[in-house]
Amino acid sequence: MKYEADQSFPAVAGAEPERCATCAVRNSSLCGALSSNEITDLNSISRRKTLKTGQIFVLEGDRNKDFANVTQGVAKLMRGSEDGREQIVGLLFPSDFIGGPMSDASDDAPYTIEAVTPLDLCIFPRDGFEKLLERYPALERKLLDRTLSELQLAREWMVLLGRKTAQERVATFILHVAEKMRNHGCGGHIGFDLPLGRADIADHIGLTIETVSRQITQLRKKGIIDMQGARHILSYDIERLRSFAGF
Amino acid sequence: MKYEADQSFPAVAGAEPERCATCAVRNSSLCGALSSNEITDLNSISRRKTLKTGQIFVLEGDRNKDFANVTQGVAKLMRGSEDGREQIVGLLFPSDFIGGPMSDASDDAPYTIEAVTPLDLCIFPRDGFEKLLERYPALERKLLDRTLSELQLAREWMVLLGRKTAQERVATFILHVAEKMRNHGCGGHIGFDLPLGRADIADHIGLTIETVSRQITQLRKKGIIDMQGARHILSYDIERLRSFAGF
DNA sequence: AAGGCGAATTGATCTGGGTCAAATCTTTGT
DNA sequence: ACAAAGATTTGACCCAGATCAATTCGCCTT
């Protein structure tokens, strides 16, 4: 997944709503497909919202009325069973778009979306957004691109869940987060924070809390990574880490 | 995933190329988005091709020049490592579309696509198809719908691979195939053929050949399914099977 | 109809990661 | 700064599914 910042975009002062012009994901999100004039339409139907850590945006099975851009923070996309088993099927970072299958027979949300850090959203009502999709082909094209990227990522994760060892899973996860955090200026090559606790990591890579912990310890003992507290990771040699991540 | 046959489509005799008018997936594939006049453009750039079982359409890492519709037969989409581990990340049935991430930086195919039964394809050169996508918004819209469905399926499979037991995986797989085969008239509620051998099933649901075999034996002994030979399944009570498939 | 061969089943044993249980660390609230 | 609560780590043991090793089945071929 690539978040190419669209620097070539012409900044038309005044024509663009203030909160869009100053938005952290103005160009890297779906909005990057829209000109200053066009984004006025989108802005007119949008509203902002902030969720605290642990708050839920939609619950699996609920009727889903809204789409949204993530402006700040990280959310998890998950599916659970009654007996307590839970699988995190995706993470949402700044500039990611929330909007499940849209022409599915049912409008029910297939997943629960929950904030794992404080989360800022820019929310669009479903109807209005779909009208804009029809009006601006570039917007729909960008949505298609994004969906294809997510499909590819989901399939990569299928490889992880189906065929990788515990060690490879943890290494792959850390690399994945490093990539994401770097793209959003939340830490560089050297150090960054894990947005998830051990329980969520486990639910994302198909292991238990204990196994995740043991594997992180292994990586530390092998000198592949270093840690400050349980959440902050230091990696001096990304390539070496990559070699532990499997295919 | 729904394959609603678009019966309402007006059959304009004569205006539509013969091979499209008689195509088995004329309405259920992406082509369903196009009128008789429009489909003439698509037909003019298309060519047909048949692959034998085991033949490869694209190899992981190769430069991918073509898109295609599956007209007949089943293919597997897979990713493998040098050390022999392999994960099947998807199956392609009649009316499914082949066309990886399109605006990815690299044009390299992320997966190998191989025929698991004799396979008929309707192939479109990449350039021409992308031009038509721009010309006909309905085509792009349908492609987006399809991609969203595949994303949802991939995530469902993440749940299977991350959290389901061997028993649940096999039951889920059989249900999935039953659904697909039914949609394409290759067997009804009662009986249908598995398009994959045990090795491919194992690579799709993250188990080994032996475990797949044992679980199928279990389901037989429990009376959930019955079999004629190793490939033909009889299921008199789909609901009972579903209750074994987990969440 | 017989025989040969790859695919599937079955059996015996092993092991990576799960489970249960007990320390330690980190946070957070006061 | 301190203590309580929660999160993480570590240890001991177990088990679902992997691995290794024979059979047996099903399907071509002649």
Side-chain angles (χ1 to χ4, degrees), chain B residues 155-229:
Chain B
R155 285 172 168 166
E156 212 118 298
W157 225 255
M158 285 175 59
V159 173
L160 177 148
L161 293 168
R163 289 298 176 227
K164 288 190 180 181
T165 64
Q167 180 86 151
E168 292 172 330
R169 292 181 199 208
V170 170
T172 305
F173 171 78
I174 293 174
L175 275 172
H176 178 68
V177 171
E179 188 75 18
K180 289 291 189 168
M181 297 309 258
R182 182 145 43 82
N183 281 330
H184 303 296
C186 317
H189 300 254
I190 309 300
F192 56 92
D193 277 342
L194 293 175
L196 303 182
R198 299 293 183 269
D200 282 336
I201 296 175
D203 284 337
H204 194 23
I205 63 182
L207 298 171
T208 58
I209 296 174
E210 295 92 329
T211 300
V212 171
S213 176
R214 280 186 249 268
Q215 294 305 332
I216 289 179
T217 302
Q218 297 292 351
L219 290 174
R220 256 197 309 109
K221 285 185 177 165
K222 286 178 181 168
I224 315 292
I225 58 169
D226 200 355
M227 304 205 66
Q228 292 173 346

Coordinates of all heavy atoms in Angstrom, one line a residue, chain B residues 155-229:
Chain B
R155 N -11.4 -11.3 3.7 CA -11.4 -11.1 5.2 C -12.1 -12.2 5.9 O -11.7 -12.6 7.0 CB -12.1 -9.8 5.5 CG -11.1 -8.6 5.1 CD -11.7 -7.3 5.3 NE -10.7 -6.2 5.2 CZ -11.0 -4.9 5.0 NH1 -12.3 -4.5 4.8 NH2 -10.0 -4.0 5.0
E156 N -13.2 -12.8 5.3 CA -13.9 -13.9 5.9 C -12.8 -15.1 6.0 O -12.8 -15.8 6.9 CB -15.0 -14.4 4.9 CG -16.2 -14.9 5.7 CD -17.4 -14.1 5.5 OE1 -17.4 -12.9 5.9 OE2 -18.4 -14.6 4.9
W157 N -12.0 -15.2 4.9 CA -11.0 -16.3 4.9 C -9.9 -16.0 6.0 O -9.4 -16.9 6.6 CB -10.4 -16.4 3.5 CG -10.3 -17.9 3.1 CD1 -9.2 -18.6 3.1 CD2 -11.4 -18.7 2.7 NE1 -9.5 -19.9 2.7 CE2 -10.9 -20.0 2.5 CE3 -12.8 -18.5 2.6 CZ2 -11.7 -21.1 2.1 CZ3 -13.6 -19.6 2.2 CH2 -13.0 -20.8 1.9
M158 N -9.7 -14.7 6.3 CA -8.7 -14.4 7.4 C -9.3 -14.9 8.7 O -8.5 -15.5 9.5 CB -8.5 -12.9 7.5 CG -7.6 -12.3 6.4 SD -7.5 -10.5 6.5 CE -6.8 -10.3 8.1
V159 N -10.6 -14.8 8.9 CA -11.2 -15.4 10.1 C -11.0 -16.9 10.2 O -10.6 -17.4 11.2 CB -12.7 -15.0 10.2 CG1 -13.3 -15.7 11.4 CG2 -12.9 -13.5 10.3
L160 N -11.2 -17.5 9.0 CA -11.1 -19.0 8.9 C -9.6 -19.3 9.3 O -9.4 -20.2 10.1 CB -11.4 -19.4 7.5 CG -11.3 -20.9 7.2 CD1 -12.3 -21.4 6.2 CD2 -9.9 -21.2 6.6
L161 N -8.7 -18.7 8.6 CA -7.3 -19.1 8.8 C -6.7 -18.7 10.2 O -5.9 -19.3 10.7 CB -6.4 -18.4 7.7 CG -6.7 -18.9 6.3 CD1 -6.0 -17.9 5.3 CD2 -6.1 -20.3 6.1
G162 N -7.3 -17.6 10.8 CA -6.8 -17.1 12.0 C -7.4 -17.8 13.2 O -6.7 -18.0 14.3
R163 N -8.7 -18.2 13.1 CA -9.4 -18.6 14.3 C -10.2 -19.8 14.3 O -10.7 -20.3 15.3 CB -10.3 -17.4 14.8 CG -9.5 -16.2 15.3 CD -8.7 -16.6 16.6 NE -7.9 -15.5 17.1 CZ -6.6 -15.7 17.5 NH1 -6.0 -16.8 17.3 NH2 -5.9 -14.7 18.0
K164 N -10.3 -20.5 13.1 CA -11.2 -21.6 13.1 C -10.4 -23.0 13.3 O -9.2 -23.0 12.9 CB -12.0 -21.7 11.8 CG -13.1 -20.6 11.7 CD -14.0 -20.9 10.5 CE -15.1 -19.8 10.5 NZ -16.0 -20.0 9.3
T165 N -11.1 -24.0 13.8 CA -10.5 -25.3 14.0 C -10.5 -26.0 12.6 O -11.1 -25.6 11.7 CB -11.3 -26.1 14.9 OG1 -12.6 -26.4 14.3 CG2 -11.5 -25.5 16.3
A166 N -9.7 -27.1 12.6 CA -9.6 -27.9 11.3 C -11.0 -28.3 10.8 O -11.3 -28.2 9.7 CB -8.7 -29.1 11.6
Q167 N -11.8 -28.8 11.8 CA -13.2 -29.2 11.4 C -14.0 -28.1 10.8 O -14.6 -28.3 9.8 CB -13.9 -29.7 12.7 CG -15.3 -30.2 12.5 CD -15.4 -31.6 12.1 OE1 -16.3 -32.3 12.4 NE2 -14.4 -32.1 11.4
E168 N -13.9 -26.9 11.4 CA -14.7 -25.8 10.9 C -14.2 -25.3 9.6 O -14.9 -24.9 8.7 CB -14.6 -24.6 11.9 CG -15.3 -24.9 13.3 CD -15.1 -23.8 14.3 OE1 -14.0 -23.2 14.3 OE2 -16.0 -23.6 15.1
R169 N -12.9 -25.4 9.4 CA -12.3 -25.0 8.1 C -12.8 -25.8 7.0 O -13.2 -25.3 5.9 CB -10.8 -25.1 8.2 CG -10.1 -24.0 9.1 CD -8.6 -24.2 9.1 NE -8.1 -23.5 10.3 CZ -6.9 -23.0 10.4 NH1 -6.1 -23.0 9.3 NH2 -6.5 -22.4 11.5
V170 N -12.8 -27.1 7.2 CA -13.2 -28.1 6.1 C -14.7 -27.8 5.8 O -15.1 -27.8 4.7 CB -12.9 -29.5 6.5 CG1 -13.6 -30.5 5.5 CG2 -11.4 -29.7 6.5
A171 N -15.5 -27.7 6.9 CA -17.0 -27.5 6.7 C -17.2 -26.2 5.9 O -18.0 -26.2 5.0 CB -17.7 -27.5 8.0
T172 N -16.5 -25.2 6.3 CA -16.6 -23.9 5.7 C -16.3 -24.0 4.2 O -17.0 -23.4 3.3 CB -15.8 -22.8 6.3 OG1 -16.1 -22.7 7.7 CG2 -16.0 -21.4 5.7
F173 N -15.2 -24.6 3.9 CA -14.7 -24.8 2.5 C -15.8 -25.5 1.7 O -16.1 -25.1 0.6 CB -13.4 -25.5 2.5 CG -13.0 -25.9 1.1 CD1 -12.5 -24.9 0.2 CD2 -13.2 -27.2 0.6 CE1 -12.1 -25.2 -1.1 CE2 -12.9 -27.5 -0.7 CZ -12.3 -26.5 -1.6
I174 N -16.3 -26.6 2.2 CA -17.3 -27.4 1.5 C -18.6 -26.5 1.2 O -19.1 -26.4 0.1 CB -17.7 -28.6 2.2 CG1 -16.5 -29.6 2.3 CG2 -18.9 -29.3 1.6 CD1 -16.8 -30.8 3.1
L175 N -19.0 -25.7 2.2 CA -20.1 -24.8 2.0 C -19.9 -23.8 0.9 O -20.7 -23.5 0.1 CB -20.4 -24.1 3.3 CG -21.3 -24.8 4.4 CD1 -21.3 -24.0 5.7 CD2 -22.7 -24.9 3.8
H176 N -18.6 -23.3 1.0 CA -18.2 -22.2 0.0 C -18.3 -22.8 -1.4 O -18.9 -22.1 -2.3 CB -16.8 -21.8 0.4 CG -16.3 -20.8 -0.6 ND1 -16.8 -19.5 -0.7 CD2 -15.3 -20.8 -1.5 CE1 -16.1 -18.8 -1.6 NE2 -15.2 -19.6 -2.1
V177 N -17.8 -24.0 -1.6 CA -17.8 -24.6 -2.9 C -19.3 -24.9 -3.3 O -19.7 -24.7 -4.5 CB -16.9 -25.8 -3.0 CG1 -17.1 -26.6 -4.3 CG2 -15.5 -25.5 -2.8
A178 N -20.0 -25.4 -2.4 CA -21.4 -25.8 -2.7 C -22.1 -24.5 -3.3 O -22.8 -24.6 -4.3 CB -22.1 -26.3 -1.5
E179 N -22.0 -23.4 -2.6 CA -22.5 -22.1 -3.0 C -22.2 -21.8 -4.4 O -23.0 -21.5 -5.2 CB -22.0 -21.1 -2.0 CG -22.7 -19.7 -2.1 CD -24.1 -19.7 -1.5 OE1 -24.4 -20.6 -0.8 OE2 -24.9 -18.8 -1.9
K180 N -20.9 -21.8 -4.7 CA -20.3 -21.4 -6.0 C -20.8 -22.4 -7.1 O -21.3 -21.9 -8.1 CB -18.8 -21.5 -6.0 CG -18.2 -20.4 -5.1 CD -18.4 -19.1 -5.8 CE -17.6 -18.0 -5.2 NZ -17.6 -16.8 -6.0
M181 N -20.8 -23.7 -6.8 CA -21.2 -24.6 -7.8 C -22.7 -24.5 -8.2 O -23.1 -24.6 -9.3 CB -20.9 -26.0 -7.4 CG -19.4 -26.3 -7.2 SD -18.3 -25.8 -8.6 CE -18.0 -27.4 -9.3
R182 N -23.4 -24.2 -7.1 CA -24.9 -24.1 -7.3 C -25.1 -22.8 -8.2 O -25.9 -22.9 -9.1 CB -25.6 -23.9 -6.0 CG -27.1 -23.7 -6.1 CD -27.8 -24.4 -4.9 NE -27.1 -24.0 -3.7 CZ -27.3 -22.9 -3.0 NH1 -28.1 -22.0 -3.4 NH2 -26.6 -22.7 -1.8
N183 N -24.4 -21.8 -7.9 CA -24.6 -20.5 -8.7 C -24.3 -20.7 -10.2 O -24.7 -20.0 -11.0 CB -23.7 -19.4 -8.2 CG -24.3 -18.8 -6.9 OD1 -25.5 -18.8 -6.8 ND2 -23.5 -18.3 -6.1
H184 N -23.5 -21.8 -10.5 CA -23.1 -21.9 -11.9 C -23.7 -23.2 -12.5 O -23.2 -23.7 -13.5 CB -21.6 -21.9 -12.0 CG -21.1 -20.6 -11.5 ND1 -21.4 -19.4 -12.0 CD2 -20.4 -20.3 -10.4 CE1 -20.9 -18.4 -11.3 NE2 -20.2 -18.9 -10.3
G185 N -24.7 -23.7 -11.8 CA -25.4 -24.9 -12.4 C -24.5 -26.1 -12.5 O -24.8 -27.0 -13.3
C186 N -23.5 -26.2 -11.6 CA -22.6 -27.4 -11.7 C -23.0 -28.3 -10.5 O -22.1 -28.7 -9.7 CB -21.2 -27.0 -11.6 SG -20.7 -25.6 -12.7
G187 N -24.2 -28.6 -10.3 CA -24.6 -29.4 -9.1 C -25.5 -28.6 -8.2 O -25.4 -27.4 -8.1
G188 N -26.5 -29.2 -7.6 CA -27.4 -28.5 -6.8 C -27.2 -28.6 -5.3 O -26.0 -28.7 -4.9
H189 N -28.2 -28.5 -4.5 CA -28.1 -28.5 -3.0 C -27.6 -29.9 -2.6 O -26.9 -30.0 -1.6 CB -29.4 -28.3 -2.4 CG -30.0 -27.0 -2.7 ND1 -30.0 -25.9 -1.8 CD2 -30.6 -26.5 -3.9 CE1 -30.6 -24.9 -2.4 NE2 -30.9 -25.2 -3.6
I190 N -28.0 -30.9 -3.3 CA -27.7 -32.3 -2.9 C -26.3 -32.7 -3.2 O -25.6 -33.1 -2.3 CB -28.7 -33.2 -3.6 CG1 -30.1 -32.7 -3.4 CG2 -28.6 -34.6 -3.0 CD1 -30.6 -32.6 -2.0
G191 N -25.9 -32.6 -4.5 CA -24.6 -33.2 -4.8 C -23.8 -32.2 -5.7 O -24.4 -31.5 -6.5
F192 N -22.5 -32.3 -5.6 CA -21.6 -31.4 -6.4 C -20.2 -32.0 -6.3 O -19.9 -32.7 -5.4 CB -21.7 -30.0 -6.0 CG -21.3 -29.8 -4.6 CD1 -20.0 -29.5 -4.2 CD2 -22.3 -29.9 -3.6 CE1 -19.7 -29.4 -2.9 CE2 -21.9 -29.7 -2.2 CZ -20.6 -29.4 -1.9
D193 N -19.4 -31.6 -7.3 CA -18.0 -32.0 -7.3 C -17.1 -31.0 -6.7 O -17.3 -29.8 -6.9 CB -17.6 -32.3 -8.8 CG -18.0 -33.6 -9.3 OD1 -18.3 -34.5 -8.5 OD2 -18.0 -33.8 -10.5
L194 N -16.1 -31.4 -5.9 CA -15.1 -30.5 -5.5 C -14.1 -30.2 -6.6 O -13.6 -31.1 -7.3 CB -14.3 -31.2 -4.3 CG -15.0 -31.4 -3.0 CD1 -14.1 -32.2 -2.1 CD2 -15.5 -30.1 -2.4
P195 N -13.9 -28.9 -6.9 CA -13.0 -28.7 -8.1 C -11.5 -28.9 -7.7 O -10.7 -28.9 -8.6 CB -13.3 -27.2 -8.4 CG -13.8 -26.6 -7.1 CD -14.5 -27.7 -6.4
L196 N -11.2 -29.0 -6.4 CA -9.8 -29.1 -6.0 C -9.5 -30.5 -5.4 O -10.4 -31.1 -4.7 CB -9.5 -28.1 -4.9 CG -9.7 -26.6 -5.2 CD1 -9.3 -25.8 -4.0 CD2 -9.0 -26.2 -6.4
G197 N -8.3 -30.9 -5.5 CA -7.9 -32.1 -4.8 C -7.5 -31.8 -3.4 O -7.5 -30.6 -3.0
R198 N -7.2 -32.8 -2.6 CA -6.9 -32.6 -1.2 C -5.7 -31.6 -1.0 O -5.7 -30.8 0.0 CB -6.6 -33.9 -0.5 CG -7.7 -34.9 -0.5 CD -8.9 -34.5 0.3 NE -9.9 -35.6 0.3 CZ -10.9 -35.6 -0.6 NH1 -11.1 -34.7 -1.5 NH2 -11.8 -36.6 -0.5
A199 N -4.7 -31.7 -1.8 CA -3.5 -30.9 -1.6 C -3.9 -29.4 -1.8 O -3.5 -28.5 -1.0 CB -2.4 -31.2 -2.6
D200 N -4.7 -29.1 -2.8 CA -5.1 -27.7 -3.0 C -6.1 -27.2 -1.9 O -6.0 -26.1 -1.5 CB -5.8 -27.5 -4.4 CG -4.7 -27.5 -5.5 OD1 -3.6 -27.1 -5.2 OD2 -5.1 -27.8 -6.7
I201 N -7.0 -28.1 -1.5 CA -7.9 -27.7 -0.4 C -7.0 -27.3 0.8 O -7.2 -26.3 1.5 CB -8.8 -28.9 0.0 CG1 -9.8 -29.2 -1.2 CG2 -9.6 -28.5 1.2 CD1 -10.6 -30.4 -0.9
A202 N -6.0 -28.2 1.1 CA -5.1 -27.9 2.3 C -4.5 -26.6 2.1 O -4.4 -25.8 3.1 CB -4.1 -29.1 2.4
D203 N -4.0 -26.3 0.9 CA -3.3 -25.0 0.7 C -4.2 -23.8 0.8 O -3.8 -22.7 0.9 CB -2.6 -25.0 -0.6 CG -1.3 -25.8 -0.6 OD1 -0.7 -26.0 0.6 OD2 -0.8 -26.3 -1.6
H204 N -5.5 -24.1 0.6 CA -6.5 -23.0 0.7 C -6.9 -22.7 2.1 O -7.2 -21.5 2.5 CB -7.7 -23.3 -0.2 CG -8.6 -22.1 -0.5 ND1 -8.1 -20.8 -0.4 CD2 -9.9 -22.0 -0.9 CE1 -9.1 -20.0 -0.7 NE2 -10.2 -20.7 -1.0
I205 N -7.0 -23.7 2.9 CA -7.5 -23.5 4.3 C -6.5 -23.7 5.4 O -6.8 -23.7 6.5 CB -8.7 -24.5 4.6 CG1 -8.3 -25.9 4.5 CG2 -9.9 -24.2 3.6 CD1 -9.5 -26.9 4.8
G206 N -5.2 -23.7 4.9 CA -4.1 -23.6 5.9 C -3.9 -24.9 6.7 O -3.6 -24.8 7.9
L207 N -4.1 -26.0 6.1 CA -3.9 -27.3 6.8 C -3.0 -28.2 6.0 O -2.5 -27.7 5.0 CB -5.3 -28.0 7.0 CG -6.3 -27.3 7.9 CD1 -7.6 -28.0 7.8 CD2 -5.8 -27.2 9.4
T208 N -2.8 -29.5 6.4 CA -2.1 -30.4 5.6 C -3.1 -31.4 4.9 O -4.2 -31.5 5.3 CB -1.1 -31.3 6.4 OG1 -1.9 -31.9 7.4 CG2 -0.1 -30.4 7.1
I209 N -2.6 -32.0 3.9 CA -3.4 -33.0 3.2 C -4.1 -34.0 4.1 O -5.3 -34.3 4.1 CB -2.6 -33.8 2.2 CG1 -2.0 -32.9 1.1 CG2 -3.4 -35.0 1.5 CD1 -1.0 -33.6 0.1
E210 N -3.2 -34.5 5.0 CA -3.7 -35.6 6.0 C -4.8 -35.1 6.9 O -5.8 -35.8 7.1 CB -2.5 -36.1 6.8 CG -1.5 -36.8 6.0 CD -0.3 -35.9 5.6 OE1 -0.6 -34.7 5.3 OE2 0.8 -36.3 5.5
T211 N -4.7 -33.9 7.4 CA -5.7 -33.3 8.3 C -7.0 -33.1 7.5 O -8.1 -33.4 8.0 CB -5.2 -32.0 8.9 OG1 -4.0 -32.3 9.7 CG2 -6.3 -31.5 9.9
V212 N -6.9 -32.6 6.3 CA -8.1 -32.4 5.5 C -8.8 -33.7 5.3 O -10.0 -33.9 5.5 CB -7.8 -31.8 4.1 CG1 -9.0 -31.9 3.2 CG2 -7.2 -30.4 4.2
S213 N -8.1 -34.8 4.9 CA -8.6 -36.1 4.7 C -9.3 -36.6 6.0 O -10.5 -37.1 6.0 CB -7.5 -37.0 4.3 OG -8.0 -38.4 4.2
R214 N -8.6 -36.5 7.1 CA -9.2 -37.0 8.4 C -10.5 -36.2 8.7 O -11.5 -36.8 9.2 CB -8.2 -36.8 9.5 CG -7.1 -37.8 9.6 CD -6.3 -37.7 10.8 NE -4.9 -37.3 10.5 CZ -3.9 -38.1 10.2 NH1 -4.1 -39.4 10.3 NH2 -2.7 -37.7 9.9
Q215 N -10.5 -34.9 8.5 CA -11.7 -34.1 8.8 C -12.9 -34.5 7.9 O -14.0 -34.5 8.4 CB -11.4 -32.6 8.8 CG -10.4 -32.2 9.8 CD -10.8 -32.5 11.2 OE1 -12.0 -32.6 11.5 NE2 -9.9 -32.6 12.1
I216 N -12.6 -34.8 6.6 CA -13.7 -35.2 5.8 C -14.2 -36.5 6.2 O -15.4 -36.7 6.3 CB -13.2 -35.3 4.3 CG1 -12.9 -33.9 3.8 CG2 -14.2 -36.0 3.4 CD1 -12.4 -33.8 2.3
T217 N -13.3 -37.4 6.6 CA -13.8 -38.7 7.2 C -14.7 -38.5 8.4 O -15.7 -39.1 8.5 CB -12.5 -39.5 7.6 OG1 -11.7 -39.7 6.4 CG2 -13.0 -40.9 8.1
Q218 N -14.3 -37.6 9.3 CA -15.1 -37.3 10.5 C -16.5 -36.8 10.1 O -17.5 -37.3 10.6 CB -14.5 -36.1 11.3 CG -13.1 -36.4 11.9 CD -13.2 -37.4 13.0 OE1 -14.3 -37.8 13.4 NE2 -12.0 -37.9 13.4
L219 N -16.6 -35.9 9.1 CA -17.9 -35.4 8.7 C -18.7 -36.5 8.1 O -19.9 -36.5 8.3 CB -17.7 -34.2 7.7 CG -17.1 -32.9 8.2 CD1 -16.8 -31.9 7.1 CD2 -18.1 -32.3 9.2
R220 N -18.0 -37.4 7.4 CA -18.8 -38.6 6.8 C -19.3 -39.4 8.0 O -20.5 -39.8 8.0 CB -17.9 -39.4 5.9 CG -18.1 -39.2 4.4 CD -17.6 -40.2 3.5 NE -16.2 -40.5 3.7 CZ -15.7 -41.6 4.2 NH1 -16.5 -42.6 4.6 NH2 -14.4 -41.8 4.4
K221 N -18.4 -39.8 8.9 CA -18.9 -40.6 10.0 C -20.0 -40.0 10.8 O -20.8 -40.7 11.4 CB -17.7 -41.0 10.9 CG -16.7 -42.0 10.3 CD -15.6 -42.4 11.2 CE -14.7 -43.4 10.6 NZ -13.4 -43.6 11.3
K222 N -20.0 -38.7 11.0 CA -21.0 -38.0 11.7 C -22.3 -37.9 10.9 O -23.3 -37.4 11.4 CB -20.6 -36.6 12.1 CG -19.5 -36.6 13.2 CD -19.1 -35.1 13.5 CE -18.1 -35.1 14.7 NZ -17.4 -33.8 14.8
G223 N -22.2 -38.3 9.6 CA -23.4 -38.2 8.8 C -23.8 -36.8 8.3 O -24.9 -36.6 7.8
I224 N -22.8 -35.9 8.4 CA -23.1 -34.5 7.9 C -23.0 -34.5 6.4 O -23.7 -33.7 5.7 CB -22.0 -33.6 8.4 CG1 -21.7 -33.8 9.9 CG2 -22.3 -32.1 8.1 CD1 -22.9 -33.4 10.8
I225 N -22.1 -35.3 5.8 CA -22.0 -35.3 4.4 C -21.9 -36.8 4.0 O -21.6 -37.7 4.8 CB -20.8 -34.6 3.8 CG1 -19.5 -35.1 4.4 CG2 -20.9 -33.1 4.0 CD1 -18.2 -34.6 3.8
D226 N -22.0 -37.1 2.7 CA -21.8 -38.4 2.1 C -20.9 -38.2 0.9 O -20.9 -37.1 0.3 CB -23.1 -39.1 1.8 CG -23.0 -40.6 1.7 OD1 -21.8 -41.0 1.8 OD2 -24.0 -41.3 1.5
M227 N -20.2 -39.2 0.5 CA -19.4 -39.0 -0.7 C -19.5 -40.2 -1.7 O -19.7 -41.3 -1.3 CB -17.9 -38.9 -0.3 CG -17.7 -37.8 0.7 SD -16.0 -37.1 0.7 CE -15.9 -36.4 -0.9
Q228 N -19.3 -39.9 -3.0 CA -19.2 -40.9 -4.0 C -17.8 -40.7 -4.7 O -17.7 -39.7 -5.5 CB -20.3 -40.7 -5.1 CG -21.7 -41.0 -4.5 CD -22.7 -40.7 -5.5 OE1 -22.5 -40.0 -6.5 NE2 -23.9 -41.2 -5.2
G229 N -16.8 -41.5 -4.3 CA -15.5 -41.2 -4.8 C -14.9 -40.1 -4.0 O -15.5 -39.6 -3.0

